[in-house]
């Protein structure tokens, strides 16, 4: 069952919270209020809410809590929730080669289970909008994209489902096994169908579609070009992996005679409607191309660390004006699956560039909210707490044992342990209450995911 939109005249009033709006001026209130009307923010400001409001269904005294925008995840592979804890000590290419055969045996039922696990972990860590990148479509696997979308709808997460693809198998010089890839015509037909069937371009949409060939080493040049043309005809965004590892760079030099960013440029893949995961190995001229074209970046600090991919030059990208958001990346390279903890990981990892000012706590929060909103092209609707925006809000408890002695509530969230999530509103609906999913039974998801992981591991090759 999908979570339904709230009644239009219903109000939720939150008062006494520390509010970090993440608006253009980084406005904060030490004791502020937010009023939600239907699925949108009606007002935000200092002190108590205006008196005499009608239709107040819920009034929350949020003393001891920090209110922020719901977090925005810009890169993930939900299906990997049931292939976690494998290939623990490999770099990307070896990790992929180890996991492709397992992934090539997934189907719609297993993806449904895994998507609920991944979406649950995101919601429980304060994430209200997520993009996923699904690129494995085995023959006979059923309606995998539809299953993923249904799974997410039940939990109430705002969603961009990226119809991914791979058509460059081993025999064509690619990395995936030949039986794990699709042919170009099948992919383009499926991409067009996905947009026609699922994409909701209307304001406030809970579901959007993007097109997302997987990476230069698993996708043909023709598919890159044709997907870009199709996405632009259909008015949807483009997503892929780019410049993740030194090995990818070497692959591009050998195959195309140029580095990944120049390759993406040559196939029409730089632009405001494009965002890429990782971008760890960017030169100054690559960063200038991203900034000049408005191409977005999904920064995935935990995954980059787990796979020893390197440290993305986020401070340089931000200084140049590149849109940057945060991503969990697939759960097989980030078993935690939590977006909230990526605020702290981004903060710490980027300081390894050599300056404590490389990323501030508030800049990390901005990456995880407005930065992500911009990367997904939704900066006018989500990513900050401002009147008229969608009511996607996270309320963090910062007066408990782990946080009560931290001087600054935003530092409690970004430097401290991830605080307990008292409430998460998505589209004005409470989807997490006191750290628990409000719309579904968490234990059922845990059991289903355990069964699915076991079943997949036991499937014949
Ligand atoms: Zn990825």
């Amino acid at each position: 069952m999908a979570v339904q939109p709230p009644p239009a005249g219903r109000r939720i009033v939150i008062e006494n919270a520390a509010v970090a709006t993440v608006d253009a001026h980084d406005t904060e209130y030490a004791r502020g209020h937010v009023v939600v009307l239907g699925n949108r923010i009606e007002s935000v400001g200092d002190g108590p809410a205006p008196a005499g409001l009608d239709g107040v269904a819920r009034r929350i005294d949020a003393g001891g809590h920090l209110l922020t925008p719901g977090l925005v995840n810009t890169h993930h592979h939900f299906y990997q929730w049931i292939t976690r804890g494998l290939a623990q000590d490999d770099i990307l290419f070896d990790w992929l080669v180890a996991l492709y055969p397992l992934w090539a045996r997934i189907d719609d039922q297993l993806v449904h289970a895994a998507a609920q696990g991944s979406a649950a972990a995101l919601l429980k860590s304060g994430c209200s909008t997520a993009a996923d990148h699904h690129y494995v479509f085995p023959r006979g696997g059923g309606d995998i994209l539809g299953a993923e979308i249904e799974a997410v709808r039940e939990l109430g997460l705002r969603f961009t489902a990226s119809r991914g693809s791979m058509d460059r198998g081993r025999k064509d010089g690619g990395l995936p096994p030949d039986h794990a890839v699709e042919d170009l015509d099948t992919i383009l037909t499926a991409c067009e169908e996905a947009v026609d069937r699922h994409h909701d371009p209307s304001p406030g949409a809970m579901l959007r579609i993007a097109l997302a060939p997987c990476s230069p080493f698993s996708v043909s040049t023709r598919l890159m070009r044709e997907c870009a043309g199709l996405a632009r005809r259909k008015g949807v965004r483009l997503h892929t992996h780019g410049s993740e590892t030194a090995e990818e760079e070497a692959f591009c030099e050998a195959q195309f005679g140029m580095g990944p960013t120049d390759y993406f440029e040559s196939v029409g893949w730089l632009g405001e409607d494009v965002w890429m995961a990782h971008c760890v190995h960017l030169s100054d001229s690559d960063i200038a191309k991203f900034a000049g074209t408005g191409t977005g970046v999904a920064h995935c600090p935990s995954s980059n660390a787990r796979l020893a991919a390197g440290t993305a030059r986020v401070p340089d990208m931000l200084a140049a004006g590149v849109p940057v958001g945060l991503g969990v990346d697939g759960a097989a390279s980030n078993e935690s699956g939590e977006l909230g903890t990526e605020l702290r990981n981004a903060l710490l990892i980027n300081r390894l560039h050599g300056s404590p000012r490389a990323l501030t706590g508030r800049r990390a929060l901005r990456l995880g909210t407005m930065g992500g909103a911009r990367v997904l092209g939704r900066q006018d609707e989500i990513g900050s707490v401002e009147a008229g925006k969608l009511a996607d809000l996270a309320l963090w408890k910062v007066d408990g044992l782990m946080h009560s002695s931290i001087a600054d509530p935003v530092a409690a969230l970004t430097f401290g342990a991830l605080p307990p999530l008292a409430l998460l509103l998505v589209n004005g609906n409470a989807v997490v209450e006191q750290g628990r999913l409000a719309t579904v039974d968490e234990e059922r998801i845990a059991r289903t995911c355990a069964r699915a992981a076991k079943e997949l591991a036991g499937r014949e090759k």
Side-chain angles (χ1 to χ4, degrees):
M1 277 279 287
V3 176
Q4 299 302 312
R10 189 220 58 185
R11 285 191 169 87
I12 298 172
V13 175
I14 303 172
E15 293 175 303
N16 283 326
V19 181
T21 66
V22 199
D23 66 8
H25 312 289
D26 268 332
T27 307
E28 294 181 10
Y29 304 104
R31 289 174 84 80
H33 70 271
V34 172
V35 178
V36 171
L37 174 62
N39 71 338
R40 291 192 180 265
I41 298 166
E42 182 181 35
S43 67
V44 52
D46 207 3
L53 295 170
D54 295 329
V56 177
R58 188 169 176 187
R59 188 177 285 273
I60 298 166
D61 179 351
H65 289 70
L66 168 68
L67 187 96
T68 68
L71 306 181
V72 179
N73 183 60
T74 57
H75 185 65
H76 208 311
H77 311 289
F78 280 8
Y79 75 96
Q80 293 178 6
W81 191 256
I82 57 172
T83 64
R84 294 187 295 161
L86 306 173
Q88 293 178 17
D89 306 314
D90 287 330
I91 60 164
L92 177 73
F93 277 18
D94 298 338
W95 174 89
L96 284 168
V97 168
L99 287 166
Y100 280 139
L102 190 58
W103 294 342
R105 306 201 288 273
I106 58 168
D107 62 23
D108 49 4
Q109 284 191 9
L110 294 179
V111 168
H112 187 280
Q116 291 212 324
S118 287
L122 287 172
L123 289 168
K124 282 165 65 73
S125 66
C127 171
S128 51
T129 295
D132 187 53
H133 182 184
H134 189 92
Y135 53 84
V136 189
F137 293 88
R139 261 186 292 280
D143 180 12
I144 285 178
L145 196 72
E148 183 185 17
I149 287 167
E150 270 315 303
V152 170
R153 204 171 259 155
E154 199 183 331
L155 272 64
L157 177 69
R158 199 180 298 282
F159 193 36
T160 294
S162 308
R163 206 298 178 183
S165 50
M166 302 192 291
D167 74 335
R168 186 196 286 268
R170 283 279 168 74
K171 70 173 165 45
D172 300 316
L175 198 65
D178 293 320
H179 68 273
V181 306
E182 303 173 280
D183 68 73
L184 185 131
D185 290 340
T186 305
I187 290 167
L188 292 173
T189 304
C191 285
E192 188 153 10
E193 274 174 16
V195 176
D196 291 344
R197 197 173 141 206
H198 299 296
H199 182 66
D200 178 2
S202 64
M206 289 297 291
L207 177 62
R208 296 255 164 98
I209 296 290
L211 301 186
C214 189
S215 62
F217 53 84
S218 60
V219 170
S220 69
T221 300
R222 205 177 139 210
L223 178 56
M224 291 299 289
R225 282 213 180 89
E226 298 217 4
C227 242
L230 177 60
R232 283 164 184 148
R233 273 200 307 284
K234 290 283 186 182
V236 299
R237 297 179 83 75
L238 287 162
H239 180 49
T240 191
H241 293 95
S243 302
E244 181 172 0
T245 64
E247 291 77 16
E248 177 192 329
E249 212 170 3
F251 178 94
C252 288
E253 288 290 349
Q255 283 280 335
F256 315 121
M258 59 186 105
T261 299
D262 290 342
Y263 173 61
F264 289 130
E265 184 180 38
S266 77
V267 291
W269 266 76
L270 295 182
E272 278 182 358
D273 56 348
V274 182
W275 86 103
M276 288 187 208
H278 306 303
C279 303
V280 172
H281 299 270
L282 296 190
S283 66
D284 289 349
S285 111
D286 295 337
I287 290 176
K289 284 183 180 181
F290 272 71
T293 55
T295 306
V297 170
H299 173 47
C300 306
S302 290
S303 171
N304 294 157
R306 189 201 190 275
L307 297 170
T311 311
R313 297 172 57 192
V314 170
D316 294 335
M317 294 183 207
L318 294 175
V322 176
V324 183
L326 292 182
V328 164
D329 202 2
S333 66
N334 180 1
E335 276 78 356
S336 127
E338 297 174 303
L339 185 58
T341 51
E342 294 304 284
L343 301 175
R344 182 168 184 268
N345 293 340
L347 176 72
L348 296 178
I349 283 179
N350 281 287
R351 289 185 176 200
L352 295 175
H353 288 297
S355 166
R357 293 193 176 80
L359 206 64
T360 64
R362 280 164 175 80
R363 206 76 199 254
L365 178 60
R366 179 170 288 277
L367 285 185
T369 53
M370 272 310 284
R374 189 173 163 207
V375 162
L376 298 184
R378 303 198 71 171
Q379 63 272 27
D380 296 336
E381 297 193 291
I382 58 171
S384 61
V385 186
E386 294 181 81
K389 280 200 158 179
L390 292 162
D392 292 5
L393 301 169
L395 189 62
W396 310 91
K397 178 175 164 57
V398 290
D399 62 353
L401 174 70
M402 300 296 284
H403 304 90
S404 63
S405 53
I406 299 179
D408 161 22
V410 175
L413 172 65
T414 55
F415 285 76
L418 189 65
L421 185 62
L423 178 70
L424 181 71
L425 295 182
V426 181
N427 211 40
N429 284 312
V431 295
V432 177
E433 295 267 12
Q434 302 303 332
R436 307 275 300 173
L437 296 178
T439 65
V440 288
D441 176 1
E442 285 185 26
E443 276 67 36
R444 176 180 61 78
I445 294 177
R447 284 192 301 272
T448 310
C449 287
R451 264 199 312 273
K454 208 168 170 185
E455 185 183 335
L456 179 59
R459 280 193 180 173
E460 296 289 321
K461 282 182 196 169

